[in-house]
């Protein structure tokens, strides 16, 4: 019997540790494929197109959504993010597990998709709200305004932890 791959979804508020855990899982098991998300935001220093994200223009992203080529997508903090569907389907059909580092909205969309029977969904909670804010500030990637928006959004995201 051929094994189909799993969709391993890590979701959490920004700063709760999903990217760190994703990196550790991939180090622990290099056969796990990482689902590289597409985004309309500009690359941050050191990010590589096709490795960290697929950086696309907004009209192109909207076209992918319209054409049904995104497994999930969301508008977050002024930019679109989403997971291209074809590489995920190819991987699970080949028996490879695929790891997602996405928000709760994306997790819900995948859980509601035709691939839901292959999903293992994990929602990470931060140790505390104070620690979450400290992590966002210590990354030094966002303005104070953006950090404050992320903190407000984290309350909403945490309310969906069991969804």
């Amino acid at each position: 019997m051929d094994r189909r791959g799993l969709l391993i979804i890590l979701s959490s508020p920004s700063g709760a540790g999903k990217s760190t855990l994703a990196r550790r899982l991939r180090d622990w098991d290099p056969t796990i494929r990482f689902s590289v998300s597409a985004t309309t935001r500009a690359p941050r220093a050191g990010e590589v197109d096709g490795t960290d994200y697929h950086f696309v223009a907004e009209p192109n992203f909207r076209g992918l959504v319209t054409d049904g080529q995104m497994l999930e997508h969301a508008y977050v903090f002024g930019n679109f993010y989403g997971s291209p569907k074809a590489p995920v389907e190819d991987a699970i059909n080949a028996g490879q597990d695929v790891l997602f580092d996405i928000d709760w909205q994306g997790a819900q969309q995948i859980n509601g998709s035709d691939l839901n029977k292959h999903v293992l969904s994990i929602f990470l909670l931060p140790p505390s709200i104070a620690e979450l804010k400290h992590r966002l500030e210590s990354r030094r990637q966002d303005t104070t305004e953006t950090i404050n928006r992320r903190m407000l959004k984290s309350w909403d995201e945490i309310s969906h932890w069991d969804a």
Side-chain angles (χ1 to χ4, degrees), residues 10 17-30 32 34 99 135:
L10 298 178
K18 66 182 172 288
S19 296
T20 299
L21 182 56
R23 197 170 31 258
R24 288 182 180 169
L25 281 170
R26 290 170 44 213
D27 288 345
W28 175 71
D29 184 352
I32 294 175
F34 185 67
L99 180 62
R135 289 177 182 182

Side-chain angles (χ1 to χ4, degrees), residues 109-124:
Q109 289 177 43
I110 293 173
N111 279 317
S113 78
D114 59 344
L115 299 178
N116 67 352
K117 64 185 172 217
H118 306 288
V119 170
L120 169 63
S121 190
I122 302 164
F123 189 88
L124 302 174

Side-chain angles (χ1 to χ4, degrees), residues 13 104 108 123 125 153-163:
W104 72 271
Q108 282 189 325
F123 189 88
L125 292 171
K153 188 170 189 305
S154 71
W155 287 103
D156 179 54
E157 292 171 326
I158 289 169
S159 74
H160 297 281
W161 75 270
D162 65 347

